[in-house]
Each structure stands twice: as C-alpha cells, then as structure tokens.
Amino acid sequence: MAKILVIYYSKTGNTKKMAKAVGEGVKERGGEPDVVHVEDFGDIEKLLDYDGYIMGSPTYFGILAAPLKDFIDRSIKVYKKLDGRVGGAFASSGIQGGGNETTIHSITQALKVHGLIMPGFSGAGHYGPAAVGEPDEKIISESRQLGKSVTALAQKIS
Ligand SMILES: Cc1cc2nc3c(=O)[nH]c(=O)nc-3n(C[C@H](O)[C@H](O)[C@H](O)COP(=O)(O)O)c2cc1C
C-alpha cells in the first residue's frame, strides 16, 4: 500500500483544511495517508518511510512559508535517497492573484531537486489546488483529487 506523507504548515487553518482533504483523497484511492503539521514531524529521516510527499503552505510574500522551507532544507539529510518517488503541492492565499501558483512552484522546485515525479492537472488548478481564503467545496474536491492522483502514480510506479 502506498504510504503518502501530507505535510503542511498552517497558522489560521485554511491550509490545514486542504491537507485533511488531500489525506482523504489518498485514502479513497487505496493509499495510507499520514497528515502532519510540519512542526509535529520529528526526525527528518522518517521521510525515508514514504512512497510519496504532498506539501502544502500558505502563501507568504508569494512563496512558501518559512517553517515549510526550513523543513525542506533539513531534508538535505535524505538527499539522493528519494529519487523516483512521487510528489505534489497545494497552497492557500489571502487574495486572488496573491501568489498561490508561485507558492506551489516554490514547493515543486524543491521536490524536483529531490528527484520526485509529479502529476499535472488538466482541469482547474493546473499545478495543484489553490485556495483563496477558506477553501470552498471546489477546492476541497481538487485537494482530494490531488491526493488520489499522487497515490495512483505511486501505485503505478511501485
Ligand atoms: C506573513 C504573511 C504573508 C502573507 N503573504 C501573502 C501573499 O503574499 N499573498 C496573499 O495572497 N496572501 C498572503 N498572506 C495571507 C495568507 O496566505 C492566507 O491568509 C492563508 O490562507 C493563510 O493560510 P493558513 O490559514 O493555513 O495559515 C500572508 C499572510 C502572512 C501571515
């Protein structure tokens, strides 16, 4: 069973709601989700236990929030050990055009440096779910879809 880490930073709860929906999608597709706030993750070497990584962040000045960046920087410990696994990203912003896509890209850039493979999306939210404020039903549904797509890819690869 594909084990997927859904790791996020959230201060006021918007990204957290998306993370929960991503985890539901992983489960619906037959994967095993671990939905964790970045501050609760613990030993970075636990990253080796997963088949896939989905990261979510609020948009802070157009990019990912510092606690998630710090987590990614600490993941240098497992650099070159995650190649060929799968990934994905999601983001939340305060305003439309506030930088959700650049936030998603700032995460996926780092995931690519780790050698991860990521699905794209032909429907709404091409790069991943992007909420403005509290996620509505459409964004919750896209978040579930992200969980499903990453899990399906992990299952195909293994
Ligand atoms: C330090 C800081 C920087 C922010 N920068 C942006 C920004 O550049 N663009 C934007 O649209 N919203 C920005 N916001 C708003 C948050 O991205 C938004 O409220 C988000 O939904 C919060 O997610 P959370 O509820 O998961 O903490 C910023 C908020 C903070 C605290």
Side-chain angles (χ1 to χ4, degrees), residues 10-15 58-62 92-95 98:
S10 182
K11 201 170 178 183
T12 53
N14 296 332
T15 317
T59 296
Y60 278 8
F61 290 93
S92 163
S93 69
I95 58 166

Side-chain angles (χ1 to χ4, degrees), residues 15-129:
T15 317
K16 182 178 182 176
K17 284 182 186 138
M18 298 173 80
K20 191 170 160 273
V22 173
E24 285 165 5
V26 169
K27 208 166 182 179
E28 276 168 41
R29 190 64 180 74
E32 187 186 337
D34 227 350
V35 182
V36 187
H37 191 284
V38 72
E39 288 167 347
D40 299 328
F41 187 72
D43 182 7
I44 203 78
E45 302 218 19
K46 278 197 303 173
L47 278 171
L48 295 171
D49 298 346
Y50 298 92
D51 303 294
Y53 311 86
I54 308 177
M55 296 191 181
S57 177
T59 296
Y60 278 8
F61 290 93
I63 55 172
L64 78 172
L68 192 65
K69 178 63 164 69
D70 175 65
F71 175 80
I72 290 170
D73 288 352
R74 286 188 288 117
S75 73
I76 191 78
K77 267 197 158 176
V78 295
Y79 183 53
K80 293 201 169 171
K81 293 180 178 167
L82 308 183
D83 284 270
R85 300 188 195 190
V86 300
F90 57 99
S92 163
S93 69
I95 58 166
Q96 189 137 31
N100 267 329
E101 288 184 342
T102 46
T103 298
I104 288 173
H105 288 317
S106 67
I107 296 170
T108 55
Q109 276 175 9
L111 297 185
K112 284 195 175 213
V113 176
H114 265 306
L116 300 192
I117 300 162
M118 286 170 266
F121 302 93
S122 55
H126 295 317
Y127 307 105

